[in-house]
């Protein structure tokens, strides 16, 4: 959590304004979520990445499709869940 907080502090010194709502799309890491809420308070809008919210098995299937199937640009979440 401390590493994540330092990252956010570094971003604020580089000009990231925390006085308005900011959307954070994260992978579900609890330390990162805590650091964001501790640093940004009520201005943090946290959303979990859809890729990271599906089962690992479906993630693997999606990655295999993206590397091997050149005719399909992406696989829908429904298809991933069914994999």
């Amino acid at each position: 959590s401390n590493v994540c907080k330092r990252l956010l502090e570094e971003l604020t010194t580089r000009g990231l304004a925390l006085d308005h709502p900011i959307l954070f799309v994260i992978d579900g890491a609890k330390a990162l979520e805590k650091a964001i809420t501790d640093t940004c308070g009520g201005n943090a809008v946290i959303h979990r990445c859809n890729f990271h919210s599906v089962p690992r098995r479906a993630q693997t299937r999606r990655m295999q499709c993206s590397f091997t199937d050149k005719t399909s640009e992406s696989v829908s979440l429904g298809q991933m869940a069914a994999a």
Side-chain angles (χ1 to χ4, degrees), residues 12-45:
T12 58
T13 62
R14 293 179 181 205
L16 177 66
L18 301 176
D19 59 347
H20 60 280
I22 300 173
L23 174 63
F24 292 90
V25 180
I26 61 174
D27 66 354
K30 298 296 181 192
L32 184 54
E33 184 174 349
K34 180 172 178 6
I36 291 169
T37 55
D38 288 351
T39 305
C40 302
N43 285 331
V45 179

Side-chain angles (χ1 to χ4, degrees), residues 59-79:
Q59 289 178 10
T60 303
R61 170 79 176 122
R62 182 177 183 187
M63 291 180 74
Q64 288 171 345
C65 288
S66 65
F67 287 116
T68 60
D69 184 5
K70 300 301 180 194
T71 62
S72 176
E73 287 297 317
S74 65
V75 177
S76 73
L77 289 176
Q79 289 171 316

